[in-house]
Amino acid sequence: MGIESKINTIFQRFPYVRKIVKRLYQSIFVLVSRKRESYGNLVQLTPNDGNEYFFGYYDKSPWDASDRYVLCLQAKCTWKDVAPKESANIVLIDTENNNTMRILGKTHAWNVQQGCMLQWLGPDFQSKILFNDFRDEQYCSVILTIDTLEERVIDMPVYSVAQSGDFALTLDFSRLHRMRKGYGYSNIPDKTMGKLIPESPCIWKIDLISGNTTPLLSYNDFYKFETRKEMSSAENKVNHIMISPSGSRFMVLHRWMHGQRKYSRLVTCNTDGTGMYNLLDDDMVSHCNWKNDDEIIAFANKKNSGVGYYLLRDKTNDFKHLWPGLDRDGHPSYSPDLSLVLTDTYPDRARMSSVYCMGENEDPHVVAKVFMPFKYDNDTRCDLHPRWRRDGNGLCIDSVKFGKRSLFIGRV
């Protein structure tokens, strides 16, 4: 295990102390290190016009089906607040016309890690986009037709959208904001504050055709499912919903805070709320992604195998430890043909973040490295969140290598 991973593991139970130790540790190495140059064939896609640009999370592609148009957010400031109430512009970039930008609209519900869930809407991933907003004093989602700018407003925000484009799953963004800064929205106070295990729903299913919303699972459902003793005196939440490629199942992280100790388990479930399965319950599981309908890649600390990336088979105990030497948390995703995996790292002791690309049976190789200024740290950090071009021949990252959030593209 690398020294950064050891430090992170030792102070896992003491997050505030961990932040102080990490900052001191990195400050020393940044002072003595000269490795602030970027590495890799990265090209800046967004302009240096005083604004900040970013896309959001790693489980979506900013490219449309033709790989010509790229979506992103344009904001004034992303380093002072994790979920600003100021609006951000929805921007479309034409990569075949000198990266000309077109503002499609605005959002008032966004955060610095996942944006506003901006994405191309399936099944064509070309004619319509979807994003979250805050209108009439409530969160919502907007389906926007690119050519006409015609809008259709759904009365709930989305978290994960099926590739078919006909339904989505969502959660309580206000509770998420309070319990995990940078992932929820700040517009509405958390009505469940003070409740360890709220009686209310925690996951809803949204019919994107009719607009109807149905409660799917409650916090109690997760608490009563293979209950652990720490849950009863802990604040429970859910996060990181991801729908499988066919739309038949979804995964979600069930987390509970017991004092300063954070527990996580990976649960999978049918998209009608049945068939819950406790896929990974070794206290720590972080970023995940579907490989296909039956397999999930996850970064976790398995009790008998250690920290690293694991390929898990849904509804079984089968797993494979991938790249045992790669023990730094990141954001993994499979290429469209499933032959390669992209992932990244958080800043190392010299504040350098890396992007890796590899096959399951190959050693990881570095695609790019970028320096991360201290201005972007902790909850307002700029994770790289590498994402695939739809043809599998390129990638996109968010980076602050030139002092502001920007989109960069490159080849794998």
Side-chain angles (χ1 to χ4, degrees), residues 298-314:
F299 187 87
N301 184 7
K302 287 190 69 64
K303 292 178 179 176
N304 297 321
S305 306
V307 175
Y309 286 97
Y310 291 88
L311 187 62
L312 314 168
R313 182 163 290 275
D314 191 17

Side-chain angles (χ1 to χ4, degrees), residues 228-380:
R228 290 179 49 170
K229 61 181 180 180
E230 311 93 355
M231 292 179 187
S232 60
S233 57
E235 271 198 299
N236 286 243
K237 70 171 182 177
V238 296
N239 196 8
H240 298 309
I241 302 170
M242 291 185 179
I243 300 172
S244 65
S246 70
S248 60
R249 286 179 69 78
F250 70 93
M251 72 170 97
V252 62
L253 293 186
H254 174 209
R255 287 177 165 163
W256 56 101
M257 296 291 296
H258 189 266
Q260 293 297 317
R261 179 74 184 273
K262 180 174 73 175
Y263 296 86
S264 298
R265 66 176 177 178
L266 178 61
V267 176
T268 59
C269 187
N270 294 329
T271 49
D272 64 359
T274 65
M276 291 179 73
Y277 188 84
N278 192 355
L279 186 60
L280 196 58
D281 194 8
D282 289 328
D283 293 351
M284 194 288 278
V285 54
S286 184
H287 303 99
C288 310
N289 218 326
W290 291 94
K291 176 184 180 181
N292 50 48
D293 278 334
D294 300 310
E295 294 175 294
I296 291 171
I297 187 172
F299 187 87
N301 184 7
K302 287 190 69 64
K303 292 178 179 176
N304 297 321
S305 306
V307 175
Y309 286 97
Y310 291 88
L311 187 62
L312 314 168
R313 182 163 290 275
D314 191 17
K315 296 182 284 187
T316 74
N317 293 320
D318 298 341
F319 68 89
K320 178 182 179 182
H321 190 178
L322 304 173
W323 322 295
L326 187 57
D327 59 2
R328 296 175 63 191
D329 193 3
H331 305 87
S333 62
Y334 277 85
S335 59
D337 67 0
L338 306 182
S339 65
L340 297 171
V341 174
L342 273 178
T343 194
D344 60 346
T345 67
Y346 292 108
D348 63 14
R349 58 190 179 184
R351 297 289 293 173
M352 297 295 292
S353 297
S354 301
V355 178
Y356 289 97
C357 183
M358 55 274 187
E360 288 181 5
N361 299 310
E362 301 173 359
D363 291 333
H365 69 273
V366 177
V367 174
K369 282 189 176 184
V370 293
F371 180 71
M372 186 79 67
F374 280 115
K375 179 179 178 180
Y376 298 85
D377 200 11
N378 296 318
D379 293 334
T380 58

Side-chain angles (χ1 to χ4, degrees), residues 86 91 141 276 327 346 412:
E86 293 79 13
V91 174
S141 52
M276 291 179 73
D327 59 2
Y346 292 108
V412 292

Side-chain angles (χ1 to χ4, degrees), residues 61-79:
S61 176
W63 280 278
D64 76 330
S66 71
D67 283 324
R68 173 176 177 173
Y69 296 101
V70 173
L71 292 171
C72 70
L73 289 180
Q74 179 195 67
K76 292 295 183 183
C77 175
T78 67
W79 67 88

